Amino acid sequence: VPTAKVSGTFGQAIPGIPASDLIMQDDVQRITFMSENDDLRANLGCVNGVNFGIRIMIDLYGNDGTLFESTFMDLGPWSNNQLNQVFGDYAPTNGYADVKSSSSGAAFYCYGSVVDNGSNDPTTVLPAISSDAMIYYVSAAALAEGAEGSFFQTDIDVNNTGAAEASYVFMWFPRGHDNSAPVQSDPVTLGAGMGARYENILSGVFGAEPPAIGAVGISSSNSADLIVNSRTYNVPTAKVSGTFGQAIPGVQEDMLIPTGEKKRIIFMSENDDFRANLGCISGTGTNTRINVELFDDTGASLESTFMDLGPWSNNQLNQVFG
């Protein structure tokens, strides 16, 4: 909450993690999109989910796969801690952190927090592991003006967790279009244990010019070992203010919501201080209707509506509770 309230607030979403999703003994998870430079600083925090002490091992890497440092965090029962500017000794750099505990019975969770030095706006980066997926969807990407004088652009991080080189292409899905034949980038290769940052991807990879709004897909021809993350952020007119952004993970295709399954989006607010938007992307080559039901916090149904999406299309309902 800045001193001048007229500036609004700058925050990050940190979900409540079910105990079943804690990182267990000897499991390794990776926190990507960590940056330390004149514009950004990277913090790493962990919480202990058991009633005895554990030691969490933290390996810090540069995006070229270089191991910078191996360190640790000792946590007492149900305790937590945060390492600030964890990549400070290696700035400027883009990198990632692997977290693991070999303590008997360990169960814990960690997060990354990438903070803009100008605005002090934090962006949460949650740990991830690769799946069997070969396609990943970043459901929102922009190079365009938004409401209230905002201007948004998107950076994407791709990280190869595997032991072999990965090859992939980016796909551009403009909002509201039939994307049966999406624009694709040239193939890109990424070495084992390496990461790559694509700044302002819509311009840098696809040559797009404002206004460009939609989604991005990443399709690998030979690897199920990728982790994808993105940050879509507001670039204010006065750069001295820094940027304000949100993390949107690359969703693996096996994590998409299938026919008949219902999911809930909470923390939606519409008032003088906040507006709430709702966006969706289709991960199939057929037409899809998504049913949307809006509730207030008493459980009363306010409205039932829908969103029709063409093949690999996407859309966003702005101020959906307006």
Side-chain angles (χ1 to χ4, degrees), residues 52-158:
F52 50 84
I54 65 170
R55 171 167 286 190
I56 299 170
M57 304 305 301
I58 301 168
D59 292 333
L60 305 178
Y61 293 87
N63 265 355
D64 63 357
T66 299
L67 176 62
F68 288 148
E69 178 183 348
S70 293
T71 185
F72 60 89
M73 183 186 295
D74 285 330
L75 294 179
W78 315 115
S79 186
N80 61 89
N81 200 0
Q82 180 172 290
L83 303 178
N84 294 326
Q85 294 187 260
V86 67
F87 283 86
D89 290 342
Y90 311 102
T93 193
N94 295 323
Y96 62 90
D98 282 349
V99 295
K100 170 185 174 180
S101 178
S102 295
S103 300
S104 179
F108 68 98
Y109 203 75
C110 294
Y111 62 89
S113 181
V114 180
V115 186
D116 186 286
N117 289 328
S119 65
N120 288 312
D121 177 56
T123 298
T124 303
V125 184
L126 298 180
I129 56 174
S130 59
S131 75
D132 294 331
M134 306 287 278
I135 302 177
Y136 308 78
Y137 296 92
V138 174
S139 56
L143 181 64
E145 292 182 1
E148 304 295 331
S150 56
F151 186 94
F152 292 98
Q153 66 183 46
T154 299
D155 298 346
I156 287 181
D157 243 32
V158 181

Side-chain angles (χ1 to χ4, degrees), residues 96-303:
Y96 62 90
D98 282 349
V99 295
K100 170 185 174 180
S101 178
S102 295
S103 300
S104 179
F108 68 98
Y109 203 75
C110 294
Y111 62 89
S113 181
V114 180
V115 186
D116 186 286
N117 289 328
S119 65
N120 288 312
D121 177 56
T123 298
T124 303
V125 184
L126 298 180
I129 56 174
S130 59
S131 75
D132 294 331
M134 306 287 278
I135 302 177
Y136 308 78
Y137 296 92
V138 174
S139 56
L143 181 64
E145 292 182 1
E148 304 295 331
S150 56
F151 186 94
F152 292 98
Q153 66 183 46
T154 299
D155 298 346
I156 287 181
D157 243 32
V158 181
N159 189 280
N160 180 6
T161 68
E165 183 178 81
S167 178
Y168 54 91
V169 297
F170 291 103
M171 298 176 289
W172 167 226
F173 303 129
R175 180 168 294 173
H177 288 213
D178 178 333
N179 293 310
S180 299
V183 174
Q184 293 191 10
S185 71
D186 293 331
V188 182
T189 58
L190 187 62
M194 297 180 67
R197 175 75 51 83
Y198 299 88
E199 296 185 359
N200 193 3
I201 191 167
L202 298 190
S203 174
V205 171
F206 298 106
E209 296 183 354
I213 304 173
V216 172
I218 299 90
S219 177
S220 177
S221 61
N222 69 339
S223 178
D225 295 316
L226 299 180
I227 294 173
V228 177
N229 250 310
S230 77
R231 180 174 182 255
T232 294
Y233 52 97
N234 174 30
V235 185
T237 304
K239 180 63 177 72
V240 293
S241 300
T243 62
F244 320 105
Q246 62 181 342
I248 301 177
V251 177
Q252 299 155 343
E253 60 180 333
D254 54 1
M255 297 298 290
L256 296 177
I257 305 170
T259 298
E261 184 171 305
K262 182 189 296 184
K263 294 218 172 179
R264 180 165 293 180
I265 298 172
I266 64 172
F267 222 99
M268 304 288 274
S269 296
E270 198 82 38
N271 52 46
D272 290 342
D273 295 321
F274 292 100
R275 59 188 188 272
N277 305 329
L278 188 150
C280 301
I281 180 172
S282 171
T284 71
T286 58
N287 293 328
T288 301
R289 170 164 285 188
I290 299 169
N291 296 301
V292 179
E293 188 168 6
L294 306 179
F295 296 85
D296 66 18
D297 58 7
T298 72
S301 179
L302 302 176
E303 179 185 352

Side-chain angles (χ1 to χ4, degrees), residues 15-25 27 29 47-51 78 105-110:
I17 305 300
S20 58
D21 290 344
L22 295 178
I23 305 170
M24 309 306 286
Q25 177 186 342
D27 288 344
Q29 294 207 10
V47 61
N48 182 5
V50 292
N51 63 350
W78 315 115
F108 68 98
Y109 203 75
C110 294

